[in-house]
């Protein structure tokens, strides 16, 4: 399979959107919410600060961040998928935190924001889908102010060959079967294992973030190394 372009990605997430949250909970064995909560702690916002959530989806990470941040802070979420944007806007209209949230249609590879517009940038399971990872990372770096920080949650391949083999079996066999059983989109759940396997390992992603201009890049592995949170900062002026 060739790497899908942005239009294919948007169409796939449009199809997945209505079942996205339920599939996430089941396929992560209930862990995905904790992973996002942990990611949000690396990006907590102070008074008046603003974060960008790249590929906001249904808003789980954005709303975790709002919940733990100063009540005068705000989050802007962007996404390519109109269906995801509909869902996150509906969520914002129900949730009292929604008054501090704004959703916009935008491509993470060409963000419609000036340099240094945000205090934090977060991304949850988004950057693996970029058709050009380095360009997406440079855009995240560009819109961060000096002293700002990015926190990126993404799937990863475990460092242990033994765990890697088990994870591959889960990704290629168990996960698509469970997703199909729950009415998931077959193409999406064939795409997902491939996208995880071709994505850089944790050390490689840290290097790509440094190449994109981030400093003090660090990562933590979660859940046997199947998931990682990377944090990078922008040098103070
Ligand atoms: C796997 S979902 C993750 C959603 C949410 N961040 C979460 O943690 O559940 C990935 C999201 O990123 C969006 N996305 C993928 N590539 C994008 C791009 N280039 N620009 C903006 N959004 C993108 C997709 O439409 C999708 O909603």
């Amino acid at each position: 399979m060739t790497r899908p372009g942005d239009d294919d990605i948007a169409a796939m997430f449009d199809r997945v959107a209505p079942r996205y949250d339920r599939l996430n909970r089941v396929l992560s064995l209930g862990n995905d919410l904790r992973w996002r909560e942990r990611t949000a702690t690396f990006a907590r916002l102070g008074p008046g600060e603003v974060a960008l959530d790249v590929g906001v989806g249904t808003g789980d990470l954005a709303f975790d961040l709002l919940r733990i941040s100063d009540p005068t802070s705000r989050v802007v979420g962007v996404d390519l998928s109109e269906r995801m944007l509909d869902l996150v806007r509906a969520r914002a209209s129900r949730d009292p935190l929604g008054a501090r949230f704004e959703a916009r249609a935008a491509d993470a590879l060409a963000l419609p924001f000036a340099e240094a517009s945000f205090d934090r940038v977060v991304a949850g399971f988004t950057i693996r889908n970029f058709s050009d990872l380095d360009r997406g990372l440079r855009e995240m770096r560009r819109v961060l102010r000096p002293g700002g920080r990015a926190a990126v949650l993404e799937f990863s391949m475990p460092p242990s060959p033994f765990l890697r083999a088990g994870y591959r079996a889960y990704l290629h066999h168990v996960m698509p079967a469970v997703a199909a059983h729950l009415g998931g989109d077959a193409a999406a759940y064939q795409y997902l294992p491939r996208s995880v396997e071709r994505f850089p390992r944790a050390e490689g992603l840290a290097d790509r973030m440094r190449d994109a201009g981030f400093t003090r890049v660090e990562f933590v592995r979660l859940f046997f190394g199947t998931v990682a949170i990377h944090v990078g900062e922008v040098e103070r002026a």
Side-chain angles (χ1 to χ4, degrees):
M1 181 186 176
T2 56
R3 176 178 279 283
D6 289 348
D7 290 347
D8 305 316
I9 291 290
M12 184 182 73
F13 280 105
D14 276 344
R15 292 196 306 275
V16 166
R19 281 178 293 273
Y20 178 75
D21 287 341
R22 190 157 73 104
L23 282 163
N24 262 344
R25 296 307 97 84
V26 175
L27 295 173
S28 74
L29 311 174
N31 286 290
D32 65 303
L33 295 178
R34 282 193 288 124
W35 300 334
R36 288 193 194 77
E37 279 167 13
R38 178 98 184 262
T39 307
T41 63
F42 289 104
R44 195 178 265 117
L45 296 159
E49 288 190 323
V50 187
L52 175 68
D53 184 349
V54 172
V56 64
T58 56
D60 282 346
L61 179 55
F63 280 74
D64 279 345
L65 184 55
L66 287 167
R67 192 166 43 249
I68 64 164
S69 291
D70 188 273
T72 61
S73 63
R74 293 186 299 116
V75 174
V76 177
V78 294
D79 208 292
L80 278 179
S81 158
E82 288 296 340
R83 294 290 298 121
M84 288 290 194
L85 289 166
D86 289 346
L87 289 172
V88 75
R89 286 187 180 119
R91 175 185 191 149
S93 67
R94 292 190 305 268
D95 190 320
L97 295 171
R100 294 161 47 208
F101 175 79
E102 180 195 336
R104 282 180 67 167
D107 184 353
L109 304 187
L111 288 168
F113 304 106
E115 284 80 38
S117 299
F118 294 96
D119 302 286
R120 307 277 184 277
V121 174
V122 295
F125 301 114
T126 297
I127 72 168
R128 189 187 72 258
N129 302 295
F130 288 170
S131 54
D132 183 339
L133 174 63
D134 297 313
R135 181 168 161 189
L137 291 173
R138 284 197 302 272
E139 277 295 87
M140 291 166 68
R141 153 77 184 74
R142 181 183 67 78
V143 300
L144 266 175
R145 68 159 165 82
R149 173 188 278 185
V152 175
L153 172 67
E154 212 20 291
F155 292 113
S156 200
M157 288 307 274
S160 141
F162 177 72
L163 288 176
R164 240 182 355 256
Y167 189 39
R168 280 202 178 99
Y170 172 76
L171 285 172
H172 286 281
H173 303 293
V174 181
M175 203 197 58
V178 175
H181 184 69
L182 293 176
D185 181 84
Y189 290 95
Q190 281 162 15
Y191 160 78
L192 195 144
R194 291 179 186 138
S195 70
V196 176
E197 284 212 64
R198 72 176 168 225
F199 192 65
R201 300 211 182 146
E203 295 82 358
L205 179 57
D207 287 341
R208 303 279 280 270
M209 287 179 70
R210 288 184 195 101
D211 291 346
F214 288 99
T215 60
R216 285 185 283 284
V217 175
E218 291 177 11
F219 61 84
V220 283
R221 289 190 173 96
L222 308 176
F223 212 60
F224 311 106
T226 56
V227 172
I229 301 170
H230 284 69
V231 174
E233 297 186 4
V234 175
E235 203 72 73
R236 285 182 191 280

